[in-house]
Amino acid sequence: MSKLQTQTVLDVHHWNENLFSFRTSRDDAFRFANGHFVMIGLEVDGKPCLRAYSIASPNWAEHLEFFSIKVADGALTSRLQHLQPGDEVKIGTKPVGTLVLGDLKPGERLFLYSSGTGLAPFMSIIRDFEPYEQFEQVILVHSVRTKSDLAYHDYITQELPEHEYLGEMISNKLRYLPVVTRESFCVQTRIPEMISTGALTDVLGIEPLNTAEDRSMICGSMAMLHDTRIALEDCGFASSPSQGEQGDFVFERAFVER
C-alpha cells in the first residue's frame, strides 16, 4: 500500500458554525485500534495538505469518521469544512497513537476526559465492546465552551442506548457528563478543577477517585491535557510511561509539547 490512499466522502454533518464531522469510505485493508489517529487531507496546489485527526468511528465500522473544527484561514480546515458527498480526501495508511486501552492497568471504572474535538477518539472507543468488557463503568466527560458545541450529545444520550448490539451494555455501563464553561449550564467548570476538588464524583453521585480501581484517558487542547494530567498526578495516579507500558492513565503523546 502507498503512504496515502484516496477515499470518498459519504456524508457531512455541521454541528454548528464551528464544528463539523464527516464520513468517508474505508479500504478493506485499513486497520486501526480504537483511539488511534491518522493523517488526512486534500490536494492543494498539486501537493497533499495533511493534518493528524483522531478516528471517531469504531474499528469495526465499514466507514471512517472524523470530527473537526472550522478555521476560516486554516490551511486544511478552511477547505475541509466545504466537503460534499462524492468529494475525495487523502488518508494515511498508518494509523498510530498512545490513546489505547491496552496501555491501561486493569480497573473497575474508566474515565474518558475530553474537551472540544478531543471527543473524537472516545466516540470510537465507546462504540466498541472492549471498554464495557474490561470495566464495570465507563464515564465520558466532554467539556466545551458553549452548549451548541456539545456535538454528539443527542446521539450519545438517545441513539447509542438503542444500538442493536451495544445498547444493553451502554445503557448499563456508560455515563455521560457534558460540561459547558462559558454559558449557564448544570455543570460549568473545567475538568481539572472538578478532579482536584472532588466535584466530578460528587456531580456523578459515585465514590471518590481511587488509584486502585480508576483508569483514565485524556484528549483535548494542550492546556487541558497538561492541567488534567497534573490533577490526576496530584491525586496519586501515574501515566503510562511509554507506548506499550501500562499505567493508570494515558493521553495522546503526539499532541503534547515536549
Side-chain angles (χ1 to χ4, degrees):
M1 294 178 68
S2 64
K3 293 183 179 180
L4 289 175
Q5 57 184 245
T6 301
Q7 297 296 337
T8 303
V9 175
L10 303 176
D11 60 72
V12 183
H13 183 84
H14 294 271
W15 300 98
N16 61 15
E17 67 276 10
N18 300 313
L19 300 167
F20 72 105
S21 58
F22 62 97
R23 296 182 180 184
T24 74
S25 55
R26 175 181 177 179
D27 193 291
D28 289 340
F30 186 85
R31 296 289 182 269
F32 66 95
N34 295 315
H36 272 171
F37 69 89
V38 70
M39 301 302 292
I40 69 170
L42 301 169
E43 288 282 345
V44 178
D45 298 327
K47 297 180 180 180
C49 178
L50 305 171
R51 297 290 185 273
Y53 273 76
S54 293
I55 303 170
S57 47
N59 57 13
W60 51 260
E62 295 181 354
H63 62 270
L64 295 175
E65 183 175 349
F66 302 96
F67 180 32
S68 178
I69 59 172
K70 303 177 185 179
V71 181
D73 57 352
L76 180 59
T77 58
S78 62
R79 296 174 170 86
L80 276 183
Q81 64 184 291
H82 299 298
L83 285 176
Q84 297 292 327
D87 290 345
E88 294 183 340
V89 295
K90 301 295 183 182
I91 298 180
T93 59
K94 293 184 177 181
V96 293
T98 57
L99 202 65
V100 293
L101 287 171
D103 284 354
L104 290 174
K105 295 177 181 178
E108 296 295 321
R109 302 189 298 192
L110 172 63
F111 289 83
L112 307 173
Y113 299 114
S114 63
S115 67
T117 55
L119 176 69
F122 299 146
M123 291 306 301
S124 172
I125 288 169
I126 66 172
R127 289 189 274 186
D128 190 57
F129 290 95
E130 191 176 12
Y132 307 109
E133 292 172 341
Q134 291 187 22
F135 295 91
E136 290 303 312
Q137 256 193 325
V138 178
I139 301 163
L140 172 61
V141 186
H142 185 207
S143 175
V144 296
R145 295 178 178 181
T146 68
K147 287 178 280 189
S148 71
D149 291 332
L150 287 172
Y152 293 96
H153 176 281
D154 292 347
Y155 176 80
I156 295 169
T157 58
Q158 298 173 25
E159 293 186 43
L160 263 186
E162 301 299 322
H163 191 280
E164 182 179 4
Y165 303 113
L166 294 170
E168 183 175 354
M169 285 192 294
I170 287 171
S171 296
N172 291 333
K173 292 192 172 186
L174 180 65
R175 296 283 304 273
Y176 168 59
L177 180 63
V179 178
V180 175
T181 60
R182 298 190 181 181
E183 284 184 352
S184 178
F185 198 67
C186 51
V187 182
Q188 190 179 3
T189 186
R190 296 180 70 239
I191 290 174
E193 282 72 29
M194 295 182 71
I195 294 172
S196 298
T197 63
L200 174 67
T201 51
D202 287 346
V203 168
L204 291 166
I206 58 178
E207 292 297 315
L209 295 178
N210 72 85
T211 56
E213 298 181 349
D214 296 331
R215 304 294 173 252
S216 304
M217 309 179 85
I218 316 169
C219 192
S221 67
M222 285 192 289
M224 179 270 191
L225 281 172
H226 175 272
D227 294 348
T228 304
R229 287 164 56 198
I230 296 301
L232 287 173
E233 289 169 356
D234 287 346
C235 291
F237 295 96
S239 68
S240 162
S242 63
Q243 191 168 5
E245 296 187 61
Q246 292 187 334
D248 299 323
F249 68 89
V250 294
F251 58 95
E252 185 46 69
R253 294 177 179 275
F255 299 156
V256 176
E257 291 182 331
R258 302 190 187 282

